[in-house]
Amino acid sequence: MSEKTTIPLFPLNVILFPDSKIPLFIFEERYKTMINECIENKSVFGVNLIENKKIHTTGCNARITEITQKYENGEMRIVVTGEKIYELIQYKPNSIGYYVGEINYKPEENNPVDEKKIKKAVKCYNELVSEVYKGGVKLINLEDKDWKDKKYIAFYIAQKAGLSLIEKQNLLEIDNENARLDYVLKYFEDVIPQLKEATRVSNIIKSDGYIQ
């Protein structure tokens, strides 16, 4: 069963995945107000991709997990962590100027994930980040205790694998982990053979903004 609610929205030119962290610089007055309200109420806001003035309806809610810097003029640098995926039903600006959206949280899936797909995707990911980051990004070791109960392997992989914004948005819209693993495996199948000459991929990966 879906979970309907209303939350403030922060349309951005980034994709937030569940369990991922991104830094944000808050400088517009309306968003200063919104973020301060979220801090005071310990509440979440929604992140939806906006491109070419279009707001994509599948988004992820964000919880403020760190305030790294506050300035005298009210601007601030924060870190947010993604929690749950939702579908945006409708939205409108409030009196302050930021959007408020009616959303449906997508129900959590309980289907078993194909272990062979996980292992293959992790092998490809480790190969890619080893080539691009030269040891600067930690490899995935499925034997580590941190990975035993991790639900979203595909989302984690997508943070540092160089997918474009639209590819990340497509992944966010897939509601099955096995299908998401298929998506990233197809991406690796296309990219890894060309990796040594693929400066586009290397540049995207190094500037994606995700925090490990």
Side-chain angles (χ1 to χ4, degrees), residues 47-193:
V47 174
N48 289 75
L49 174 64
I50 182 169
E51 52 155 8
N52 300 322
K53 298 182 179 179
K54 172 190 174 183
I55 295 179
H56 291 256
T57 57
T58 302
C60 180
N61 76 348
R63 188 170 297 278
I64 301 161
T65 49
E66 187 178 355
I67 302 168
T68 55
Q69 195 163 5
K70 293 192 80 169
Y71 301 91
E72 291 184 1
N73 62 0
E75 294 177 355
M76 66 187 91
R77 296 184 184 277
I78 61 174
V79 175
V80 302
T81 301
E83 291 187 337
K84 296 193 289 186
I85 301 170
Y86 60 79
E87 284 297 323
L88 183 59
I89 303 168
Q90 59 183 351
Y91 61 93
K92 61 182 179 180
N94 66 4
S95 59
I96 298 169
Y98 62 80
Y99 287 119
V100 175
E102 182 182 359
I103 65 168
N104 261 332
Y105 282 114
K106 290 188 172 183
E108 297 292 330
E109 58 183 51
N110 295 311
N111 298 327
V113 182
D114 189 328
E115 293 291 332
K116 290 182 179 179
K117 289 181 181 180
I118 292 175
K119 290 178 180 179
K120 186 175 180 181
V122 167
K123 180 177 181 295
C124 292
Y125 171 83
N126 286 343
E127 181 180 347
L128 185 146
V129 298
S130 294
E131 178 66 32
V132 173
Y133 290 101
K134 310 296 184 185
V137 168
K138 186 178 179 180
L139 302 183
I140 295 174
N141 181 356
L142 293 175
E143 298 302 315
D144 287 351
K145 62 179 181 179
D146 292 344
W147 286 95
K148 296 298 183 183
D149 299 318
K150 191 173 283 290
K151 291 168 59 178
Y152 302 114
I153 302 286
F155 287 149
Y156 182 91
I157 284 172
Q159 293 174 41
K160 292 291 182 182
L163 279 75
S164 68
L165 276 176
I166 292 302
E167 288 168 332
K168 289 176 182 176
Q169 180 65 33
N170 290 341
L171 187 68
L172 189 70
E173 293 173 5
I174 299 172
D175 58 6
N176 177 280
E177 181 67 1
N178 283 312
R180 289 192 288 262
L181 288 168
D182 286 336
Y183 188 91
V184 296
L185 284 169
K186 177 63 171 63
Y187 168 79
F188 286 137
E189 182 181 313
D190 294 338
V191 168
I192 287 179

Side-chain angles (χ1 to χ4, degrees), residues 8 28-35 37 92-100:
E28 287 189 54
E29 290 300 324
R30 55 180 172 166
Y31 292 120
K32 290 180 196 176
T33 301
M34 187 191 83
I35 294 300
E37 288 174 350
K92 61 182 179 180
N94 66 4
S95 59
I96 298 169
Y98 62 80
Y99 287 119
V100 175

Side-chain angles (χ1 to χ4, degrees), residues 8-24:
L9 300 177
F10 199 168
L12 292 167
N13 195 231
V14 299
I15 307 294
L16 180 65
F17 294 123
D19 293 339
S20 69
K21 295 182 179 182
I22 56 173
L24 296 176

